[in-house]
Amino acid sequence: MSTYKELDAKYYMPCFGRSMEIVKGEGCNVWDDNGKKYLDLVAGIAVCSTGHCHPQVVDAICRQAHELIHCSNLYYIPGQAELAEKLSKASGMGKVFFGNSGAEAIDAALKLAKVRSGRKNFVSFNHDFHGRTIGSLAVTHKPQIREPFEPLGIHCDFPDYGDLEGLKAAVNKDTAAVVFEPIQGETGIIIPPEDFLPGIRDICDDARALMICDEVQSGMGRTGKWFAFQHSKVQPDIISIAKGIASGVPMGAIIAREGLEFTKGEHGSTFAGGPIACAAGNVTFGIIEQLLPGIAAKGELFRKGLAAFNPRVRGLMVGFTLGEAAPKLAELCMEKGVLINVAGDGNIRIVPPLTISADEINYAVGVINEAAGQI
Ligand SMILES: *Cc1c(COP(=O)(O)O)cnc(C)c1O
């Protein structure tokens, strides 16, 4: 019989660089197929915010699976309406539309911006990441992943992240929306200057372009507020959410300001906002609500513990720049039982479950410092 590694090599497209198999998760810990335990500061890439297999999440999924797994959007889904209310109130925005991933949420946001503005073009930023579908890829900067697929049918300019003069020059009467990450995640936790979001708001208002804030990674409590834009005083026109929304059950969403919405027939999806995802989303929301007040302090523990690296910290989005040594640090930490992630440009990204304890943080930073001393 073939091993799973041989099957993977033979039958699965080699898009990912994989290192090991994780067979079990509980809280902030995961175990590999040799029974080795790891403290997980990756959390399925900022997805498993309630920790692995939180009992309330498991229970909600199982209960819903016994009742009804799928019914399509031809019929009412009570959990969908309930989760939409929670998200709308938490964001201070209007109506919600669910999808199944971050990229799908961005695609929905681009469609909504196009159809309501009557304009075609978009502006994003250098090093912004928004997803891998044709639409979301068109507003994703990284040339190596975007250019092989051009033309993508959407014109997008990419001024420098944080550069409001560059943005002003790029936005014009054909700009449907400016799409941006309030904190850049995939690139390694880049926090923009404080005037950035207010500046984007002003430039969008002057040009009558919409402001799409991509909260796929930074949203759902990750930064200590429900959404990262809430650290500023501005309100975007559309936000996208996904990663942390349903504890690992595939789900994404957009929320638009009051009055900005799709009309009947303009958008749709078979699976989106289904009963299982909404059951997981509703309990996830309640768990995060409890955790929210403690998240900033947890981030400060990382800031203190990783002071030697001059880290960038906003709640439990933590990053620092190491350059060429970044993969080696991740490898050494893995050997020592702590999972961290190498993001773009030699940056380390730490996005643990929001349930992580002070003891776990102290242990993790100890291991990271020790590993760094061995490079
Ligand atoms: C991960 C991510 C996406 C894409 O989400 P998928 O679920 O992988 O499609 C989009 N935007 C941001 C900011 C992300 O971090």
Side-chain angles (χ1 to χ4, degrees):
M1 218 175 73
S2 306
T3 67
Y4 66 83
K5 282 187 187 167
E6 286 162 357
L7 293 176
D8 184 272
K10 187 159 181 206
Y11 292 108
Y12 203 76
M13 296 195 191
C15 289
F16 305 103
R18 287 169 167 160
S19 50
M20 63 150 164
E21 186 197 4
I22 291 175
V23 295
K24 184 183 157 63
E26 187 185 314
C28 292
N29 295 312
V30 293
W31 286 261
D32 71 13
D33 53 347
N34 295 315
K36 181 174 169 183
K37 179 177 166 182
Y38 303 84
L39 184 59
D40 181 12
L41 307 186
V42 181
I45 315 185
V47 167
C48 309
S49 292
T50 58
H52 291 278
C53 303
H54 191 292
Q56 276 172 262
V57 175
V58 173
D59 189 49
I61 293 170
C62 291
R63 269 188 292 132
Q64 185 59 51
H66 281 286
E67 291 290 326
L68 181 69
I69 293 175
H70 178 75
C71 60
S72 91
N73 280 302
L74 295 172
Y75 309 102
Y76 283 108
I77 300 173
Q80 190 182 87
E82 286 160 22
L83 184 56
E85 181 193 21
K86 291 181 181 121
L87 294 172
S88 175
K89 288 186 169 160
S91 62
M93 304 195 51
K95 289 194 171 72
V96 175
F97 188 93
F98 288 111
N100 303 288
S101 68
E104 253 186 69
I106 290 294
D107 279 358
L110 300 181
K111 279 182 73 176
L112 182 58
K114 273 186 147 191
V115 75
R116 289 289 87 83
S117 71
R119 298 174 177 188
K120 283 203 276 292
N121 297 344
F122 291 88
V123 179
S124 179
F125 292 98
N126 207 338
H127 299 300
D128 255 39
F129 180 85
H130 300 291
R132 302 283 202 147
T133 58
I134 295 277
S136 61
L137 189 58
V139 295
T140 287
H141 169 252
K142 201 175 185 180
Q144 301 96 296
I145 67 170
R146 176 173 39 81
E147 285 175 355
F149 302 97
E150 288 191 328
L152 293 161
I154 290 175
H155 179 84
C156 186
D157 290 313
F158 299 95
D160 283 341
Y161 191 66
D163 174 14
L164 290 168
E165 287 307 312
L167 177 64
K168 206 179 237 168
V171 171
N172 56 46
K173 63 175 178 24
D174 297 319
T175 307
V178 175
V179 189
F180 68 99
E181 296 181 71
I183 295 172
Q184 288 184 324
E186 294 306 292
T187 265
I189 316 301
I190 308 299
I191 302 173
E194 253 179 48
D195 66 349
F196 191 46
L197 267 66
I200 296 175
R201 182 71 274 176
D202 288 345
I203 290 166
C204 286
D205 287 345
D206 287 348
R208 310 187 65 163
L210 295 168
M211 180 176 179
I212 301 174
C213 182
D214 183 355
E215 296 268 4
V216 165
Q217 190 157 162
S218 56
M220 297 310 294
R222 172 75 30 206
T223 67
K225 293 188 187 282
W226 275 114
F227 300 103
F229 78 81
Q230 292 168 327
H231 294 277
S232 77
K233 290 194 175 66
V234 306
Q235 197 73 15
D237 297 300
I238 304 172
I239 66 172
S240 53
I241 328 172
K243 291 188 167 90
I245 194 172
S247 296
V249 179
M251 181 174 233
I254 56 167
I255 321 178
R257 70 166 146 74
E258 202 62 57
L260 182 66
E261 58 195 58
F262 285 122
T263 59
K264 193 172 177 197
E266 277 181 341
H267 199 41
S269 169
T270 301
F271 291 119
I276 300 259
C278 289
N282 276 303
V283 293
T284 296
F285 189 99
I287 298 165
I288 293 175
E289 197 165 39
Q290 303 282 313
L291 294 167
L292 217 43
I295 289 168
K298 293 180 184 184
E300 290 315 305
L301 287 180
F302 273 110
R303 192 193 299 279
K304 230 172 95 200
L306 298 174
F309 305 99
N310 195 19
R312 303 176 289 272
V313 179
R314 178 74 45 92
L316 287 172
M317 282 185 107
V318 178
F320 57 89
T321 303
L322 212 61
E324 276 176 16
K328 186 70 192 162
L329 182 74
E331 192 189 311
L332 283 171
C333 285
M334 189 190 229
E335 278 171 23
K336 296 170 189 295
V338 172
L339 301 181
I340 59 175
N341 172 245
V342 182
D345 303 333
N347 290 321
I348 294 290
R349 168 173 49 176
I350 294 174
V351 282
L354 305 181
T355 55
I356 195 167
S357 69
D359 284 349
E360 285 168 327
I361 294 172
N362 290 332
Y363 176 76
V365 299
V367 168
I368 294 168
N369 282 302
E370 182 192 307
Q374 293 171 0
I375 290 176

mmCIF file of all heavy atoms in Angstrom, residues 170-210:
data_model
loop_
_atom_site.group_PDB
_atom_site.id
_atom_site.type_symbol
_atom_site.label_atom_id
_atom_site.label_comp_id
_atom_site.label_asym_id
_atom_site.label_seq_id
_atom_site.Cartn_x
_atom_site.Cartn_y
_atom_site.Cartn_z
ATOM 1 N N ALA A 170 -3.395 57.694 -8.307
ATOM 2 C CA ALA A 170 -3.918 56.499 -8.990
ATOM 3 C C ALA A 170 -5.442 56.495 -9.090
ATOM 4 O O ALA A 170 -6.009 55.828 -9.961
ATOM 5 C CB ALA A 170 -3.449 55.244 -8.255
ATOM 6 N N VAL A 171 -6.123 57.215 -8.209
ATOM 7 C CA VAL A 171 -7.593 57.192 -8.181
ATOM 8 C C VAL A 171 -8.151 58.262 -9.121
ATOM 9 O O VAL A 171 -7.683 59.401 -9.112
ATOM 10 C CB VAL A 171 -8.103 57.425 -6.735
ATOM 11 C CG1 VAL A 171 -9.618 57.617 -6.710
ATOM 12 C CG2 VAL A 171 -7.722 56.246 -5.836
ATOM 13 N N ASN A 172 -9.139 57.884 -9.921
ATOM 14 C CA ASN A 172 -9.755 58.863 -10.824
ATOM 15 C C ASN A 172 -11.238 58.531 -11.047
ATOM 16 O O ASN A 172 -11.780 57.655 -10.368
ATOM 17 C CB ASN A 172 -8.983 58.929 -12.149
ATOM 18 C CG ASN A 172 -8.909 57.552 -12.798
ATOM 19 O OD1 ASN A 172 -9.904 56.838 -12.888
ATOM 20 N ND2 ASN A 172 -7.709 57.177 -13.237
ATOM 21 N N LYS A 173 -11.854 59.179 -12.007
ATOM 22 C CA LYS A 173 -13.310 59.042 -12.198
ATOM 23 C C LYS A 173 -13.725 57.649 -12.703
ATOM 24 O O LYS A 173 -14.915 57.339 -12.754
ATOM 25 C CB LYS A 173 -13.834 60.122 -13.132
ATOM 26 C CG LYS A 173 -13.261 60.044 -14.540
ATOM 27 C CD LYS A 173 -13.895 61.062 -15.456
ATOM 28 C CE LYS A 173 -13.310 61.030 -16.866
ATOM 29 N NZ LYS A 173 -12.674 59.802 -17.342
ATOM 30 N N ASP A 174 -12.739 56.822 -13.084
ATOM 31 C CA ASP A 174 -13.058 55.446 -13.492
ATOM 32 C C ASP A 174 -12.839 54.439 -12.367
ATOM 33 O O ASP A 174 -13.043 53.240 -12.545
ATOM 34 C CB ASP A 174 -12.186 55.046 -14.692
ATOM 35 C CG ASP A 174 -12.474 55.910 -15.912
ATOM 36 O OD1 ASP A 174 -13.666 56.193 -16.156
ATOM 37 O OD2 ASP A 174 -11.507 56.312 -16.590
ATOM 38 N N THR A 175 -12.413 54.924 -11.200
ATOM 39 C CA THR A 175 -12.118 54.015 -10.088
ATOM 40 C C THR A 175 -13.415 53.603 -9.378
ATOM 41 O O THR A 175 -14.092 54.448 -8.780
ATOM 42 C CB THR A 175 -11.174 54.683 -9.057
ATOM 43 O OG1 THR A 175 -10.017 55.174 -9.745
ATOM 44 C CG2 THR A 175 -10.764 53.695 -7.978
ATOM 45 N N ALA A 176 -13.723 52.311 -9.440
ATOM 46 C CA ALA A 176 -14.899 51.805 -8.724
ATOM 47 C C ALA A 176 -14.617 51.771 -7.225
ATOM 48 O O ALA A 176 -15.463 52.161 -6.424
ATOM 49 C CB ALA A 176 -15.264 50.406 -9.222
ATOM 50 N N ALA A 177 -13.429 51.287 -6.853
ATOM 51 C CA ALA A 177 -13.117 51.174 -5.425
ATOM 52 C C ALA A 177 -11.619 51.071 -5.183
ATOM 53 O O ALA A 177 -10.862 50.641 -6.053
ATOM 54 C CB ALA A 177 -13.803 49.949 -4.824
ATOM 55 N N VAL A 178 -11.228 51.447 -3.984
ATOM 56 C CA VAL A 178 -9.885 51.183 -3.469
ATOM 57 C C VAL A 178 -10.016 49.975 -2.545
ATOM 58 O O VAL A 178 -10.834 49.969 -1.625
ATOM 59 C CB VAL A 178 -9.335 52.400 -2.697
ATOM 60 C CG1 VAL A 178 -7.995 52.071 -2.051
ATOM 61 C CG2 VAL A 178 -9.221 53.606 -3.627
ATOM 62 N N VAL A 179 -9.235 48.931 -2.825
ATOM 63 C CA VAL A 179 -9.275 47.682 -2.050
ATOM 64 C C VAL A 179 -7.979 47.586 -1.261
ATOM 65 O O VAL A 179 -6.902 47.675 -1.844
ATOM 66 C CB VAL A 179 -9.334 46.451 -2.981
ATOM 67 C CG1 VAL A 179 -9.604 45.190 -2.190
ATOM 68 C CG2 VAL A 179 -10.363 46.635 -4.070
ATOM 69 N N PHE A 180 -8.078 47.383 0.050
ATOM 70 C CA PHE A 180 -6.833 47.383 0.837
ATOM 71 C C PHE A 180 -6.956 46.519 2.079
ATOM 72 O O PHE A 180 -8.043 46.258 2.578
ATOM 73 C CB PHE A 180 -6.481 48.823 1.257
ATOM 74 C CG PHE A 180 -7.463 49.382 2.265
ATOM 75 C CD1 PHE A 180 -7.173 49.380 3.624
ATOM 76 C CD2 PHE A 180 -8.689 49.859 1.852
ATOM 77 C CE1 PHE A 180 -8.081 49.854 4.542
ATOM 78 C CE2 PHE A 180 -9.619 50.333 2.771
ATOM 79 C CZ PHE A 180 -9.302 50.336 4.123
ATOM 80 N N GLU A 181 -5.802 46.079 2.568
ATOM 81 C CA GLU A 181 -5.731 45.395 3.861
ATOM 82 C C GLU A 181 -5.432 46.453 4.934
ATOM 83 O O GLU A 181 -4.456 47.185 4.810
ATOM 84 C CB GLU A 181 -4.596 44.361 3.881
ATOM 85 C CG GLU A 181 -4.749 43.214 2.907
ATOM 86 C CD GLU A 181 -3.577 42.225 3.037
ATOM 87 O OE1 GLU A 181 -3.534 41.510 4.064
ATOM 88 O OE2 GLU A 181 -2.715 42.182 2.147
ATOM 89 N N PRO A 182 -6.210 46.519 6.007
ATOM 90 C CA PRO A 182 -5.940 47.500 7.064
ATOM 91 C C PRO A 182 -4.636 47.185 7.798
ATOM 92 O O PRO A 182 -4.009 48.077 8.372
ATOM 93 C CB PRO A 182 -7.149 47.387 7.988
ATOM 94 C CG PRO A 182 -7.722 46.036 7.727
ATOM 95 C CD PRO A 182 -7.415 45.706 6.292
ATOM 96 N N ILE A 183 -4.249 45.911 7.785
ATOM 97 C CA ILE A 183 -2.915 45.460 8.200
ATOM 98 C C ILE A 183 -2.545 44.378 7.195
ATOM 99 O O ILE A 183 -3.348 43.465 6.969
ATOM 100 C CB ILE A 183 -2.922 44.858 9.619
ATOM 101 C CG1 ILE A 183 -3.274 45.934 10.651
ATOM 102 C CG2 ILE A 183 -1.577 44.216 9.952
ATOM 103 C CD1 ILE A 183 -3.490 45.387 12.063
ATOM 104 N N GLN A 184 -1.377 44.479 6.563
ATOM 105 C CA GLN A 184 -1.032 43.448 5.577
ATOM 106 C C GLN A 184 -0.633 42.160 6.281
ATOM 107 O O GLN A 184 0.289 42.151 7.104
ATOM 108 C CB GLN A 184 0.088 43.947 4.665
ATOM 109 C CG GLN A 184 -0.408 45.025 3.702
ATOM 110 C CD GLN A 184 0.658 45.469 2.728
ATOM 111 O OE1 GLN A 184 1.836 45.537 3.080
ATOM 112 N NE2 GLN A 184 0.248 45.790 1.508
ATOM 113 N N GLY A 185 -1.331 41.073 5.941
ATOM 114 C CA GLY A 185 -1.123 39.795 6.617
ATOM 115 C C GLY A 185 -0.143 38.878 5.909
ATOM 116 O O GLY A 185 0.905 38.535 6.455
ATOM 117 N N GLU A 186 -0.471 38.505 4.663
ATOM 118 C CA GLU A 186 0.355 37.508 3.957
ATOM 119 C C GLU A 186 1.795 37.976 3.789
ATOM 120 O O GLU A 186 2.715 37.171 3.691
ATOM 121 C CB GLU A 186 -0.253 37.192 2.578
ATOM 122 C CG GLU A 186 -1.606 36.500 2.631
ATOM 123 C CD GLU A 186 -1.596 35.237 3.470
ATOM 124 O OE1 GLU A 186 -0.957 34.247 3.070
ATOM 125 O OE2 GLU A 186 -2.227 35.245 4.542
ATOM 126 N N THR A 187 1.964 39.300 3.769
ATOM 127 C CA THR A 187 3.291 39.846 3.565
ATOM 128 C C THR A 187 4.101 39.847 4.865
ATOM 129 O O THR A 187 5.323 40.004 4.846
ATOM 130 C CB THR A 187 3.101 41.256 2.932
ATOM 131 O OG1 THR A 187 3.206 41.125 1.558
ATOM 132 C CG2 THR A 187 4.010 42.281 3.462
ATOM 133 N N GLY A 188 3.430 39.656 6.003
ATOM 134 C CA GLY A 188 4.188 39.528 7.254
ATOM 135 C C GLY A 188 3.840 40.535 8.327
ATOM 136 O O GLY A 188 4.699 40.939 9.108
ATOM 137 N N ILE A 189 2.585 40.929 8.389
ATOM 138 C CA ILE A 189 2.067 41.850 9.420
ATOM 139 C C ILE A 189 2.735 43.231 9.280
ATOM 140 O O ILE A 189 3.665 43.576 10.032
ATOM 141 C CB ILE A 189 2.240 41.300 10.866
ATOM 142 C CG1 ILE A 189 1.845 39.813 10.947
ATOM 143 C CG2 ILE A 189 1.449 42.142 11.856
ATOM 144 C CD1 ILE A 189 0.423 39.469 10.552
ATOM 145 N N ILE A 190 2.264 43.957 8.293
ATOM 146 C CA ILE A 190 2.730 45.326 8.074
ATOM 147 C C ILE A 190 1.607 46.268 8.518
ATOM 148 O O ILE A 190 0.490 46.207 8.000
ATOM 149 C CB ILE A 190 3.073 45.584 6.588
ATOM 150 C CG1 ILE A 190 4.025 44.508 6.050
ATOM 151 C CG2 ILE A 190 3.642 46.999 6.410
ATOM 152 C CD1 ILE A 190 5.369 44.404 6.734
ATOM 153 N N ILE A 191 1.905 47.101 9.526
ATOM 154 C CA ILE A 191 0.902 48.017 10.087
ATOM 155 C C ILE A 191 1.129 49.396 9.458
ATOM 156 O O ILE A 191 2.230 49.939 9.554
ATOM 157 C CB ILE A 191 1.027 48.077 11.627
ATOM 158 C CG1 ILE A 191 0.865 46.650 12.207
ATOM 159 C CG2 ILE A 191 -0.017 49.033 12.213
ATOM 160 C CD1 ILE A 191 1.129 46.536 13.697
ATOM 161 N N PRO A 192 0.111 49.965 8.808
ATOM 162 C CA PRO A 192 0.312 51.246 8.112
ATOM 163 C C PRO A 192 0.340 52.416 9.095
ATOM 164 O O PRO A 192 -0.076 52.270 10.243
ATOM 165 C CB PRO A 192 -0.919 51.334 7.206
ATOM 166 C CG PRO A 192 -1.986 50.604 7.953
ATOM 167 C CD PRO A 192 -1.286 49.495 8.700
ATOM 168 N N PRO A 193 0.804 53.595 8.635
ATOM 169 C CA PRO A 193 0.755 54.788 9.490
ATOM 170 C C PRO A 193 -0.686 55.136 9.861
ATOM 171 O O PRO A 193 -1.621 54.752 9.150
ATOM 172 C CB PRO A 193 1.348 55.898 8.615
ATOM 173 C CG PRO A 193 1.779 55.285 7.337
ATOM 174 C CD PRO A 193 1.385 53.856 7.319
ATOM 175 N N GLU A 194 -0.844 55.856 10.980
ATOM 176 C CA GLU A 194 -2.190 56.127 11.498
ATOM 177 C C GLU A 194 -3.084 56.929 10.565
ATOM 178 O O GLU A 194 -4.306 56.804 10.611
ATOM 179 C CB GLU A 194 -2.080 56.869 12.836
ATOM 180 C CG GLU A 194 -2.440 55.970 14.010
ATOM 181 C CD GLU A 194 -2.317 56.693 15.333
ATOM 182 O OE1 GLU A 194 -2.842 57.809 15.434
ATOM 183 O OE2 GLU A 194 -1.701 56.108 16.250
ATOM 184 N N ASP A 195 -2.464 57.766 9.728
ATOM 185 C CA ASP A 195 -3.290 58.596 8.835
ATOM 186 C C ASP A 195 -3.721 57.855 7.574
ATOM 187 O O ASP A 195 -4.394 58.428 6.720
ATOM 188 C CB ASP A 195 -2.529 59.879 8.464
ATOM 189 C CG ASP A 195 -1.286 59.601 7.618
ATOM 190 O OD1 ASP A 195 -0.890 58.411 7.498
ATOM 191 O OD2 ASP A 195 -0.701 60.556 7.078
ATOM 192 N N PHE A 196 -3.342 56.577 7.467
ATOM 193 C CA PHE A 196 -3.586 55.854 6.201
ATOM 194 C C PHE A 196 -5.078 55.638 5.934
ATOM 195 O O PHE A 196 -5.582 55.976 4.867
ATOM 196 C CB PHE A 196 -2.838 54.520 6.225
ATOM 197 C CG PHE A 196 -2.797 53.802 4.902
ATOM 198 C CD1 PHE A 196 -2.486 54.481 3.718
ATOM 199 C CD2 PHE A 196 -3.044 52.432 4.825
ATOM 200 C CE1 PHE A 196 -2.425 53.815 2.494
ATOM 201 C CE2 PHE A 196 -2.979 51.751 3.614
ATOM 202 C CZ PHE A 196 -2.669 52.443 2.451
ATOM 203 N N LEU A 197 -5.800 55.064 6.901
ATOM 204 C CA LEU A 197 -7.227 54.793 6.650
ATOM 205 C C LEU A 197 -8.039 56.082 6.481
ATOM 206 O O LEU A 197 -8.818 56.188 5.526
ATOM 207 C CB LEU A 197 -7.820 53.878 7.734
ATOM 208 C CG LEU A 197 -7.768 52.380 7.385
ATOM 209 C CD1 LEU A 197 -6.351 51.865 7.303
ATOM 210 C CD2 LEU A 197 -8.597 51.539 8.333
ATOM 211 N N PRO A 198 -7.838 57.087 7.369
ATOM 212 C CA PRO A 198 -8.551 58.352 7.127
ATOM 213 C C PRO A 198 -8.202 58.953 5.761
ATOM 214 O O PRO A 198 -9.075 59.515 5.086
ATOM 215 C CB PRO A 198 -8.058 59.256 8.262
ATOM 216 C CG PRO A 198 -7.583 58.323 9.327
ATOM 217 C CD PRO A 198 -7.091 57.094 8.632
ATOM 218 N N GLY A 199 -6.950 58.816 5.352
ATOM 219 C CA GLY A 199 -6.521 59.343 4.052
ATOM 220 C C GLY A 199 -7.210 58.629 2.900
ATOM 221 O O GLY A 199 -7.644 59.258 1.929
ATOM 222 N N ILE A 200 -7.305 57.289 2.998
ATOM 223 C CA ILE A 200 -8.004 56.527 1.948
ATOM 224 C C ILE A 200 -9.464 56.976 1.882
ATOM 225 O O ILE A 200 -10.023 57.193 0.803
ATOM 226 C CB ILE A 200 -7.940 55.001 2.225
ATOM 227 C CG1 ILE A 200 -6.501 54.486 2.181
ATOM 228 C CG2 ILE A 200 -8.794 54.239 1.202
ATOM 229 C CD1 ILE A 200 -6.357 53.014 2.575
ATOM 230 N N ARG A 201 -10.071 57.150 3.060
ATOM 231 C CA ARG A 201 -11.480 57.580 3.118
ATOM 232 C C ARG A 201 -11.667 58.917 2.384
ATOM 233 O O ARG A 201 -12.568 59.062 1.551
ATOM 234 C CB ARG A 201 -11.912 57.683 4.585
ATOM 235 C CG ARG A 201 -13.352 58.062 4.893
ATOM 236 C CD ARG A 201 -14.375 56.984 4.560
ATOM 237 N NE ARG A 201 -14.816 57.018 3.179
ATOM 238 C CZ ARG A 201 -15.641 56.144 2.621
ATOM 239 N NH1 ARG A 201 -16.114 55.127 3.315
ATOM 240 N NH2 ARG A 201 -15.981 56.245 1.371
ATOM 241 N N ASP A 202 -10.790 59.875 2.665
ATOM 242 C CA ASP A 202 -10.898 61.202 2.037
ATOM 243 C C ASP A 202 -10.736 61.113 0.522
ATOM 244 O O ASP A 202 -11.493 61.726 -0.230
ATOM 245 C CB ASP A 202 -9.824 62.159 2.595
ATOM 246 C CG ASP A 202 -10.148 62.575 4.025
ATOM 247 O OD1 ASP A 202 -11.302 62.367 4.462
ATOM 248 O OD2 ASP A 202 -9.239 63.085 4.706
ATOM 249 N N ILE A 203 -9.735 60.344 0.101
ATOM 250 C CA ILE A 203 -9.461 60.250 -1.339
ATOM 251 C C ILE A 203 -10.631 59.560 -2.043
ATOM 252 O O ILE A 203 -11.066 59.975 -3.122
ATOM 253 C CB ILE A 203 -8.112 59.504 -1.581
ATOM 254 C CG1 ILE A 203 -6.951 60.397 -1.118
ATOM 255 C CG2 ILE A 203 -7.955 59.116 -3.050
ATOM 256 C CD1 ILE A 203 -5.609 59.691 -0.988
ATOM 257 N N CYS A 204 -11.179 58.533 -1.426
ATOM 258 C CA CYS A 204 -12.352 57.844 -2.003
ATOM 259 C C CYS A 204 -13.544 58.804 -2.074
ATOM 260 O O CYS A 204 -14.248 58.852 -3.090
ATOM 261 C CB CYS A 204 -12.724 56.612 -1.184
ATOM 262 S SG CYS A 204 -11.600 55.230 -1.411
ATOM 263 N N ASP A 205 -13.758 59.565 -1.006
ATOM 264 C CA ASP A 205 -14.897 60.489 -0.996
ATOM 265 C C ASP A 205 -14.758 61.540 -2.096
ATOM 266 O O ASP A 205 -15.714 61.822 -2.818
ATOM 267 C CB ASP A 205 -15.022 61.172 0.377
ATOM 268 C CG ASP A 205 -15.546 60.212 1.444
ATOM 269 O OD1 ASP A 205 -16.071 59.133 1.066
ATOM 270 O OD2 ASP A 205 -15.414 60.522 2.639
ATOM 271 N N ASP A 206 -13.546 62.087 -2.223
ATOM 272 C CA ASP A 206 -13.321 63.117 -3.251
ATOM 273 C C ASP A 206 -13.577 62.569 -4.645
ATOM 274 O O ASP A 206 -14.111 63.273 -5.504
ATOM 275 C CB ASP A 206 -11.870 63.643 -3.179
ATOM 276 C CG ASP A 206 -11.669 64.536 -1.964
ATOM 277 O OD1 ASP A 206 -12.685 64.921 -1.337
ATOM 278 O OD2 ASP A 206 -10.509 64.831 -1.629
ATOM 279 N N ALA A 207 -13.182 61.318 -4.883
ATOM 280 C CA ALA A 207 -13.315 60.741 -6.233
ATOM 281 C C ALA A 207 -14.619 59.963 -6.398
ATOM 282 O O ALA A 207 -14.870 59.398 -7.458
ATOM 283 C CB ALA A 207 -12.125 59.824 -6.520
ATOM 284 N N ARG A 208 -15.422 59.930 -5.356
ATOM 285 C CA ARG A 208 -16.661 59.137 -5.344
ATOM 286 C C ARG A 208 -16.391 57.670 -5.682
ATOM 287 O O ARG A 208 -17.168 57.007 -6.379
ATOM 288 C CB ARG A 208 -17.707 59.742 -6.271
ATOM 289 C CG ARG A 208 -17.895 61.240 -5.999
ATOM 290 C CD ARG A 208 -19.018 61.821 -6.755
ATOM 291 N NE ARG A 208 -20.285 61.225 -6.315
ATOM 292 C CZ ARG A 208 -21.461 61.756 -6.561
ATOM 293 N NH1 ARG A 208 -21.545 62.870 -7.243
ATOM 294 N NH2 ARG A 208 -22.566 61.179 -6.141
ATOM 295 N N ALA A 209 -15.272 57.179 -5.162
ATOM 296 C CA ALA A 209 -14.938 55.757 -5.286
ATOM 297 C C ALA A 209 -15.296 55.081 -3.961
ATOM 298 O O ALA A 209 -15.346 55.731 -2.918
ATOM 299 C CB ALA A 209 -13.445 55.583 -5.569
ATOM 300 N N LEU A 210 -15.537 53.784 -4.012
ATOM 301 C CA LEU A 210 -15.872 53.054 -2.792
ATOM 302 C C LEU A 210 -14.594 52.585 -2.082
ATOM 303 O O LEU A 210 -13.545 52.433 -2.701
ATOM 304 C CB LEU A 210 -16.774 51.861 -3.107
ATOM 305 C CG LEU A 210 -18.161 52.251 -3.652
ATOM 306 C CD1 LEU A 210 -18.882 51.028 -4.216
ATOM 307 C CD2 LEU A 210 -19.005 52.905 -2.561
#
